Amino acid sequence: MLLDRIGTKWTSMAIKALSEAAPDELRFSALRRRMPGISQKMLSVTLQNLTRDGLVARRVEPSVPPGVYYALTDLGLSLEVPLGSLRAWAEEHMHAIELNNRRADSLDQPGRPASRVAADDQGSV
């Protein structure tokens, strides 16, 4: 269950953005700008989960409108190293994974024998 939580794209991006700002806090809007493509709702849900897990600290400043700030806890900071390694691995191997996906998709096309494709592709990456 924990791997499902920390293994998501948005969790990884939030941890990265907050770790880059550490030890400073980020307002919700500043964090959202550092995470292209995330919706306000998805960021809110992601931050709620990370706060509940103790990876992120949330601070509300009483103002109008209230200022809400987020920062990684020590536990959250400890997660950046393994997630950073995973992001680096993904970037390094993205091309090979995409190639393998295209090959697998071509096996699903009618009229092309699977054994022939598998034999043709052996040994290449």
Side-chain angles (χ1 to χ4, degrees):
M1 191 164 51
L2 181 58
L3 289 176
D4 286 342
R5 173 83 46 88
I6 63 174
T8 70
K9 168 173 89 169
W10 300 124
T11 294
S12 180
M13 287 180 74
I15 297 292
K16 180 181 182 192
L18 288 168
S19 72
E20 289 172 348
D24 296 330
E25 301 171 309
L26 287 177
R27 287 190 72 149
F28 184 92
S29 57
L31 184 55
R32 187 169 177 211
R33 281 192 297 274
R34 293 177 183 216
M35 298 175 63
I38 194 167
S39 68
Q40 183 171 338
K41 178 172 176 55
M42 183 54 69
L43 179 56
S44 180
V45 168
T46 299
L47 289 169
Q48 286 172 4
N49 288 333
L50 292 172
T51 301
R52 184 172 185 263
D53 292 340
L55 299 169
V56 169
R58 180 178 185 265
R59 182 177 66 84
V60 179
E61 191 173 272
S63 59
V64 179
V68 183
Y69 297 86
Y70 297 91
L72 289 178
T73 62
D74 289 341
L75 184 61
L77 281 169
S78 74
L79 184 56
E80 172 50 23
V81 171
L83 283 182
S85 296
L86 182 58
R87 282 191 301 270
W89 180 91
E91 289 171 6
E92 181 180 339
H93 295 91
M94 186 177 356
H95 178 72
I97 299 294
E98 289 172 351
L99 181 61
N100 289 328
N101 278 296
R102 285 195 301 273
R103 286 181 183 153
D105 291 346
S106 72
L107 293 175
D108 294 336
Q109 294 179 5
R112 189 161 186 212
S115 59
R116 168 91 183 190
V117 172
D120 289 346
D121 290 341
Q122 287 201 1
S124 63
V125 176

